[in-house]
PDB file of all heavy atoms in Angstrom:
ATOM      1  N   ALA A 213       0.548   2.728  -8.647  1.00  0.00           N
ATOM      2  CA  ALA A 213      -0.169   3.380  -9.753  1.00  0.00           C
ATOM      3  C   ALA A 213       0.728   4.558 -10.282  1.00  0.00           C
ATOM      4  O   ALA A 213       1.288   5.325  -9.455  1.00  0.00           O
ATOM      5  CB  ALA A 213      -1.564   3.899  -9.185  1.00  0.00           C
ATOM      6  N   TRP A 215      -0.736   7.002 -12.062  1.00  0.00           N
ATOM      7  CA  TRP A 215      -1.512   8.222 -11.958  1.00  0.00           C
ATOM      8  C   TRP A 215      -1.080   8.989 -10.685  1.00  0.00           C
ATOM      9  O   TRP A 215      -0.928   8.354  -9.710  1.00  0.00           O
ATOM     10  CB  TRP A 215      -2.987   7.804 -11.852  1.00  0.00           C
ATOM     11  CG  TRP A 215      -3.987   8.974 -12.134  1.00  0.00           C
ATOM     12  CD1 TRP A 215      -4.299   9.931 -11.317  1.00  0.00           C
ATOM     13  CD2 TRP A 215      -4.690   9.178 -13.353  1.00  0.00           C
ATOM     14  NE1 TRP A 215      -5.185  10.749 -11.946  1.00  0.00           N
ATOM     15  CE2 TRP A 215      -5.470  10.307 -13.142  1.00  0.00           C
ATOM     16  CE3 TRP A 215      -4.729   8.508 -14.592  1.00  0.00           C
ATOM     17  CZ2 TRP A 215      -6.283  10.772 -14.124  1.00  0.00           C
ATOM     18  CZ3 TRP A 215      -5.623   8.980 -15.580  1.00  0.00           C
ATOM     19  CH2 TRP A 215      -6.319  10.215 -15.355  1.00  0.00           C
ATOM     20  N   ASN A 216      -0.977  10.293 -10.747  1.00  0.00           N
ATOM     21  CA  ASN A 216      -0.387  11.125  -9.646  1.00  0.00           C
ATOM     22  C   ASN A 216       0.997  10.564  -9.200  1.00  0.00           C
ATOM     23  O   ASN A 216       1.261  10.387  -8.024  1.00  0.00           O
ATOM     24  CB  ASN A 216      -1.325  11.022  -8.454  1.00  0.00           C
ATOM     25  CG  ASN A 216      -2.713  11.777  -8.752  1.00  0.00           C
ATOM     26  OD1 ASN A 216      -2.692  12.870  -9.440  1.00  0.00           O
ATOM     27  ND2 ASN A 216      -3.809  11.224  -8.320  1.00  0.00           N
ATOM     28  N   PRO A 247      -1.213   1.476 -14.684  1.00  0.00           N
ATOM     29  CA  PRO A 247      -1.525   2.817 -15.069  1.00  0.00           C
ATOM     30  C   PRO A 247      -2.163   3.672 -13.960  1.00  0.00           C
ATOM     31  O   PRO A 247      -1.804   4.779 -13.811  1.00  0.00           O
ATOM     32  CB  PRO A 247      -2.427   2.593 -16.290  1.00  0.00           C
ATOM     33  CG  PRO A 247      -2.064   1.232 -16.807  1.00  0.00           C
ATOM     34  CD  PRO A 247      -1.711   0.437 -15.560  1.00  0.00           C
ATOM     35  N   GLY A 248      -3.240   3.126 -13.357  1.00  0.00           N
ATOM     36  CA  GLY A 248      -3.933   3.965 -12.346  1.00  0.00           C
ATOM     37  C   GLY A 248      -4.375   3.013 -11.211  1.00  0.00           C
ATOM     38  O   GLY A 248      -4.300   1.855 -11.241  1.00  0.00           O
ATOM     39  N   SER A 249      -5.066   3.679 -10.183  1.00  0.00           N
ATOM     40  CA  SER A 249      -5.376   2.973  -8.985  1.00  0.00           C
ATOM     41  C   SER A 249      -6.412   1.877  -9.289  1.00  0.00           C
ATOM     42  O   SER A 249      -6.482   0.876  -8.611  1.00  0.00           O
ATOM     43  CB  SER A 249      -5.967   3.904  -7.963  1.00  0.00           C
ATOM     44  OG  SER A 249      -4.910   4.818  -7.506  1.00  0.00           O
ATOM     45  N   PHE A 250      -7.262   2.151 -10.372  1.00  0.00           N
ATOM     46  CA  PHE A 250      -8.264   1.158 -10.632  1.00  0.00           C
ATOM     47  C   PHE A 250      -7.585  -0.304 -11.005  1.00  0.00           C
ATOM     48  O   PHE A 250      -8.207  -1.339 -10.696  1.00  0.00           O
ATOM     49  CB  PHE A 250      -9.149   1.526 -11.794  1.00  0.00           C
ATOM     50  CG  PHE A 250     -10.359   0.737 -12.062  1.00  0.00           C
ATOM     51  CD1 PHE A 250     -11.455   0.890 -11.264  1.00  0.00           C
ATOM     52  CD2 PHE A 250     -10.346  -0.226 -13.026  1.00  0.00           C
ATOM     53  CE1 PHE A 250     -12.611   0.080 -11.443  1.00  0.00           C
ATOM     54  CE2 PHE A 250     -11.510  -1.109 -13.200  1.00  0.00           C
ATOM     55  CZ  PHE A 250     -12.578  -0.863 -12.366  1.00  0.00           C
ATOM     56  N   GLU A 251      -6.449  -0.198 -11.544  1.00  0.00           N
ATOM     57  CA  GLU A 251      -5.692  -1.414 -11.924  1.00  0.00           C
ATOM     58  C   GLU A 251      -4.936  -2.025 -10.768  1.00  0.00           C
ATOM     59  O   GLU A 251      -4.300  -3.168 -10.901  1.00  0.00           O
ATOM     60  CB  GLU A 251      -4.702  -1.155 -13.072  1.00  0.00           C
ATOM     61  CG  GLU A 251      -5.474  -0.892 -14.402  1.00  0.00           C
ATOM     62  CD  GLU A 251      -6.134   0.463 -14.536  1.00  0.00           C
ATOM     63  OE1 GLU A 251      -5.562   1.454 -14.053  1.00  0.00           O
ATOM     64  OE2 GLU A 251      -7.233   0.559 -14.989  1.00  0.00           O
ATOM     65  N   CYS A 273      -2.970   7.002  -5.478  1.00  0.00           N
ATOM     66  CA  CYS A 273      -3.551   8.224  -4.920  1.00  0.00           C
ATOM     67  C   CYS A 273      -4.763   8.766  -5.719  1.00  0.00           C
ATOM     68  O   CYS A 273      -4.514   8.914  -6.946  1.00  0.00           O
ATOM     69  CB  CYS A 273      -2.370   9.330  -5.017  1.00  0.00           C
ATOM     70  SG  CYS A 273      -2.962  10.993  -4.601  1.00  0.00           S
ATOM     71  N   VAL A 274      -5.833   8.775  -5.101  1.00  0.00           N
ATOM     72  CA  VAL A 274      -7.097   9.250  -5.800  1.00  0.00           C
ATOM     73  C   VAL A 274      -7.420  10.596  -5.234  1.00  0.00           C
ATOM     74  O   VAL A 274      -7.681  10.682  -3.948  1.00  0.00           O
ATOM     75  CB  VAL A 274      -8.234   8.255  -5.635  1.00  0.00           C
ATOM     76  CG1 VAL A 274      -9.346   8.605  -6.626  1.00  0.00           C
ATOM     77  CG2 VAL A 274      -7.733   6.830  -6.068  1.00  0.00           C
ATOM     78  N   ILE A 275      -7.520  11.623  -5.992  1.00  0.00           N
ATOM     79  CA  ILE A 275      -7.922  12.954  -5.510  1.00  0.00           C
ATOM     80  C   ILE A 275      -9.295  13.345  -6.009  1.00  0.00           C
ATOM     81  O   ILE A 275      -9.683  13.189  -7.214  1.00  0.00           O
ATOM     82  CB  ILE A 275      -6.879  14.012  -5.908  1.00  0.00           C
ATOM     83  CG1 ILE A 275      -5.429  13.643  -5.491  1.00  0.00           C
ATOM     84  CG2 ILE A 275      -7.251  15.422  -5.464  1.00  0.00           C
ATOM     85  CD1 ILE A 275      -4.298  14.483  -5.941  1.00  0.00           C
ATOM     86  N   HIS A 281     -15.652   9.683 -10.376  1.00  0.00           N
ATOM     87  CA  HIS A 281     -14.591   8.680 -10.426  1.00  0.00           C
ATOM     88  C   HIS A 281     -14.025   8.307  -9.205  1.00  0.00           C
ATOM     89  O   HIS A 281     -13.709   7.158  -8.891  1.00  0.00           O
ATOM     90  CB  HIS A 281     -13.509   9.164 -11.466  1.00  0.00           C
ATOM     91  CG  HIS A 281     -12.597  10.145 -10.858  1.00  0.00           C
ATOM     92  ND1 HIS A 281     -12.874  11.515 -10.870  1.00  0.00           N
ATOM     93  CD2 HIS A 281     -11.439  10.009 -10.123  1.00  0.00           C
ATOM     94  CE1 HIS A 281     -11.904  12.201 -10.247  1.00  0.00           C
ATOM     95  NE2 HIS A 281     -11.049  11.319  -9.793  1.00  0.00           N
ATOM     96  N   ILE A 285     -13.508   4.397  -8.021  1.00  0.00           N
ATOM     97  CA  ILE A 285     -12.170   3.959  -7.944  1.00  0.00           C
ATOM     98  C   ILE A 285     -11.896   3.534  -6.384  1.00  0.00           C
ATOM     99  O   ILE A 285     -11.448   2.366  -6.216  1.00  0.00           O
ATOM    100  CB  ILE A 285     -11.057   4.952  -8.372  1.00  0.00           C
ATOM    101  CG1 ILE A 285     -11.205   5.244  -9.849  1.00  0.00           C
ATOM    102  CG2 ILE A 285      -9.626   4.363  -8.040  1.00  0.00           C
ATOM    103  CD1 ILE A 285     -10.312   6.241 -10.359  1.00  0.00           C
TER     104      ILE A 285
HETATM  105  C1  LIG B 116      -9.323   8.127 -14.844  1.00  0.00           C
HETATM  106  C2  LIG B 116      -8.727   8.429 -13.496  1.00  0.00           C
HETATM  107  C3  LIG B 116      -9.033   9.576 -12.737  1.00  0.00           C
HETATM  108  C4  LIG B 116     -10.095  10.534 -13.326  1.00  0.00           C
HETATM  109  N1  LIG B 116      -8.486   9.868 -11.618  1.00  0.00           N
HETATM  110  C5  LIG B 116      -7.569   9.019 -11.078  1.00  0.00           C
HETATM  111  C6  LIG B 116      -6.975   9.276  -9.803  1.00  0.00           C
HETATM  112  O1  LIG B 116      -7.204  10.388  -9.171  1.00  0.00           O
HETATM  113  N2  LIG B 116      -6.021   8.492  -9.338  1.00  0.00           N
HETATM  114  C7  LIG B 116      -5.736   7.275 -10.013  1.00  0.00           C
HETATM  115  O2  LIG B 116      -4.860   6.495  -9.516  1.00  0.00           O
HETATM  116  N3  LIG B 116      -6.272   6.990 -11.181  1.00  0.00           N
HETATM  117  C8  LIG B 116      -7.214   7.799 -11.699  1.00  0.00           C
HETATM  118  N4  LIG B 116      -7.782   7.563 -12.939  1.00  0.00           N
HETATM  119  C9  LIG B 116      -7.276   6.329 -13.658  1.00  0.00           C
HETATM  120  C10 LIG B 116      -7.934   5.090 -13.297  1.00  0.00           C
HETATM  121  O3  LIG B 116      -7.576   4.603 -12.038  1.00  0.00           O
HETATM  122  C11 LIG B 116      -7.724   3.992 -14.391  1.00  0.00           C
HETATM  123  O4  LIG B 116      -6.317   3.835 -14.597  1.00  0.00           O
HETATM  124  C12 LIG B 116      -8.417   4.285 -15.721  1.00  0.00           C
HETATM  125  O5  LIG B 116      -9.800   4.619 -15.538  1.00  0.00           O
HETATM  126  C13 LIG B 116      -8.250   3.141 -16.697  1.00  0.00           C
HETATM  127  O6  LIG B 116      -8.888   1.974 -16.174  1.00  0.00           O
END
Side-chain angles (χ1 to χ4, degrees):
W215 196 283
N216 292 321
S249 292
F250 190 80
E251 287 74 39
C273 172
V274 192
I275 300 174
H281 76 273
I285 295 174

